[in-house]
Amino acid sequence: MNMKSLLLLVLGISLSLTAFSQNKADAVVGVWETGNGKARVKIDKEGQKYVGRIVWLREPNDPTTGTPKVDKNNDEESLRARPLKGLRILQDFVYDEADAEWEDGTIYDAENGKTYKCVMTMKDANALNIRGYIGIPTFGRTDVWKRLQMPKK
Amino acid sequence: MRRIFIRTLAVLISTTFFAVAQTDSTEDFSQYDQLDFAEAGLKRYASPKILDLSPQKLISLGYDFQGAYTLTEGLLRSGAGNAILPEPQEATRFNYSHGVRFFANIPIVSKSSVVWQGGVNYLEHHYQAEAKDGRIGLAGLETGNTLASKGLKSIGLHTTLYKPLNEKQFLLFQVAADLNGDFSWNEIPEPAQLRYSAVAIWGKRPHDRLQWGVGLSRTYRVGEMNYIPVVMYNWTMPNRKWGTEILFPARAHIRRTFSPRSLAMAGFELEGQSYQLRSLPNDLPSGTTAHLRRGEIRLRLIWERQIKQFIWFSAQVGYRLNYRFNVDAIDQGREFYRGFFGDQLYLQTNQLGNTPYAQFTINLVSP
């Protein structure tokens, strides 16, 4: 094997590994239903980070006003009028291949207006463990989100 | 020229990306209405919370203060029922009593299908007695003297298991083991003096604003061991301003929510334990110890407010009503059941005055 072939082989292997790693990292992309079934969240990739936004609500309207739900519990008064549908609640996640988890992100709980640190791990291909916590993961709670797909015809 | 082209391309790409990111609000969300689970047969579970429930405390550090009151002691009897100390001539007047409280309840397993928590609690209560001629109490006022000189402490472990059965039903178990008494840190009681409490509840969570359940408890909240049915009823009104937080008979409150960061409650809590009094003079046989059965009802107003993120402040004021403050003789630490209708004699029957009280805590609350 000459030097050129060797270089091509190394390049090929590293590209394959990168693609494999990328596939694992992108496994989180998709639409997920929260553990309580009240919301569906679409996770996308933006640059090297993963984000998620609410795309569906079981009860889309506020029962007291009859109008679409807004982020009324937000600490910042200027943000309280923004609609919950479309609201980004997952931010800044990066994939850590060694731990096989998406970390350094945050999750926003619109029911109480609080933002928690968050780490995501795939329980299996169709179940996502979302752990919101305070300070260290010990002080937290894990919710299991279920993957959704288009109906089979 | 080439550099300009690359920069222009970069600007075009980023502008396009930015434009795509901003199209969220005009997205057709109806496409997400008719989705199926990727895996069939997945189960949903009832959440342990309902909307607007007061925040669950993971770590709590507090201070409790009670105003002046009087302890009127009965004759301290021997095991045979004979008086071993004279009739007290006067009652003991406490100017105040107070103490710190620490409580930790840390998640061990916390996921949708099961929540398991464990923790420790520490509570102390010091009694400041009114001195008479340089002495705290007279002969016969031995329980008052013991409390004034030693105070009371409780240290304990507890664990809670919440197990949802499905989307609507759940089971809740709590077990606690406490050492209580007039001990100091270098004379902690032997394990035989542990007092065990437990509760088991089966409940339903019909929707996000209601959670109710029924069960049975083994409790010392009335001072001595008892078996009492319990009823849980946590409810939030549709307007999310008012609600209830009830675990009857341990506590029952009406809640008023001002915002996600502030609430108030009005109601009561039963508080009590059985405390080993080693310092109480007695002629009980070796291995038999005196236990103070302390049970009280706290009528109270509570105000809780977020200080910053997950740190909450809680203040409560109210009136402490005495339910029981008698002394029992317990053989080898083995508890006995008197219940509401038992006729076993107390070693000493006391009367304790009622008084206003206040309590302040700083809390780390759960997500």
Side-chain angles (χ1 to χ4, degrees), chain B residues 93-366:
Chain B
R93 178 73 175 168
F94 294 116
N95 293 323
Y96 61 89
S97 58
H98 65 124
V100 298
R101 293 167 173 225
F102 174 79
F103 174 85
N105 195 27
I106 309 299
I108 301 168
V109 176
S110 181
K111 48 189 187 179
S112 309
S113 57
V114 64
V115 179
W116 178 32
Q117 296 175 314
V120 298
N121 50 277
Y122 173 73
L123 181 153
E124 61 179 34
H125 210 70
H126 302 287
Y127 294 80
Q128 178 62 46
E130 193 173 87
K132 290 266 180 93
D133 302 328
R135 298 178 57 204
I136 289 176
L138 303 170
L141 296 173
E142 300 304 333
T143 300
N145 281 333
T146 299
L147 295 176
S149 61
K150 305 285 280 189
L152 295 175
K153 288 188 183 71
S154 286
I155 53 174
L157 298 169
H158 56 262
T159 185
T160 304
L161 181 73
Y162 173 86
K163 176 62 188 163
L165 301 173
N166 50 42
E167 200 175 355
K168 301 283 185 190
Q169 298 182 65
F170 63 88
L171 296 172
L172 181 68
F173 302 98
Q174 286 182 332
V175 179
D178 294 278
L179 284 171
N180 319 293
D182 58 348
F183 57 86
S184 53
W185 285 109
N186 57 359
E187 51 178 14
I188 291 175
E190 62 275 17
Q193 299 298 334
L194 278 167
R195 303 294 100 172
Y196 297 98
S197 311
V199 63
I201 292 173
W202 168 85
K204 291 194 83 168
R205 186 184 183 280
H207 52 76
D208 289 338
R209 295 179 293 98
L210 175 63
Q211 180 187 52
W212 63 268
V214 291
L216 185 67
S217 67
R218 181 189 201 269
T219 179
Y220 283 88
R221 284 184 181 270
V222 287
E224 55 199 49
M225 191 266 287
N226 210 337
Y227 295 94
I228 299 176
V230 293
V231 176
M232 168 195 270
Y233 196 83
N234 296 327
W235 173 64
T236 298
M237 285 180 71
N239 65 16
R240 297 185 61 178
K241 289 180 178 172
W242 294 91
T244 62
E245 296 192 13
I246 296 171
L247 187 63
F248 188 82
R251 67 186 78 90
H253 295 99
I254 292 170
R255 170 177 26 86
R256 172 72 167 90
T257 303
F258 303 114
S259 76
R261 290 159 288 282
S262 175
L263 62 94
M265 291 193 283
F268 74 88
E269 176 164 33
L270 287 183
E271 185 176 301
Q273 258 299 353
S274 182
Y275 299 86
Q276 185 190 21
L277 295 184
R278 287 181 174 179
S279 309
L280 187 68
N282 60 70
D283 67 346
L284 297 170
S286 174
T288 300
T289 52
H291 271 243
L292 174 67
R293 311 295 204 169
R294 169 179 161 265
E296 59 194 39
I297 303 163
R298 291 179 169 222
L299 304 176
R300 60 190 187 176
L301 291 170
I302 303 172
W303 177 66
E304 296 191 348
R305 177 162 183 81
Q306 181 189 46
I307 299 174
K308 188 175 183 182
Q309 283 286 305
F310 307 102
I311 307 295
W312 280 60
F313 172 74
S314 174
Q316 56 176 282
V317 293
Y319 201 67
R320 196 267 294 141
L321 298 169
N322 178 54
Y323 180 81
R324 182 174 289 125
F325 210 73
N326 299 337
V327 179
D328 263 327
I330 294 188
D331 181 27
Q332 308 295 331
R334 284 193 292 269
E335 194 53 84
F336 66 89
Y337 176 70
R338 179 186 278 117
F340 292 111
F341 309 108
D343 58 0
Q344 296 97 324
L345 283 177
Y346 288 103
L347 192 65
Q348 185 186 41
T349 303
N350 302 318
Q351 291 179 327
L352 192 74
N354 304 320
T355 188
Y357 86 99
Q359 190 182 107
F360 307 96
T361 60
I362 296 285
N363 310 288
L364 176 69
V365 304
S366 169

Side-chain angles (χ1 to χ4, degrees), chain A residues 5-55:
Chain A
S5 302
L6 184 65
L7 279 173
L8 282 172
L9 181 66
V10 169
L11 186 64
I13 291 171
S14 61
L15 281 174
S16 302
L17 287 174
T18 306
F20 181 67
S21 167
Q22 208 56 54
N23 281 343
K24 283 202 291 184
D26 290 350
V28 76
V29 171
V31 183
W32 301 85
E33 186 164 305
T34 58
N36 55 22
K38 289 163 64 176
R40 292 174 180 172
V41 177
K42 187 165 190 285
I43 298 180
D44 291 308
K45 189 176 185 183
E46 279 188 10
Q48 290 305 306
K49 294 189 174 180
Y50 295 86
V51 298
R53 62 204 163 84
I54 297 172
V55 294

Side-chain angles (χ1 to χ4, degrees), chain A residues 101-145:
Chain A
E101 65 184 25
W102 292 260
E103 58 189 26
D104 298 337
T106 60
I107 185 168
Y108 175 71
D109 183 351
E111 284 189 347
N112 57 24
K114 292 190 175 82
T115 300
Y116 305 94
K117 290 183 178 178
C118 188
V119 61
M120 304 189 290
T121 52
M122 298 285 283
K123 195 175 171 188
D124 56 51
N126 297 316
L128 183 66
N129 283 338
I130 297 257
R131 185 164 187 85
Y133 61 94
I134 310 163
I136 55 172
T138 303
F139 297 118
R141 200 175 89 78
T142 301
D143 195 21
V144 182
W145 291 10

Side-chain angles (χ1 to χ4, degrees), chain A residues 7 17 61 78 88 90 98 109 114 152:
Chain A
L7 279 173
L17 287 174
N61 293 333
S78 60
R88 184 175 291 190
L90 300 174
D109 183 351
K114 292 190 175 82
K152 289 174 185 165

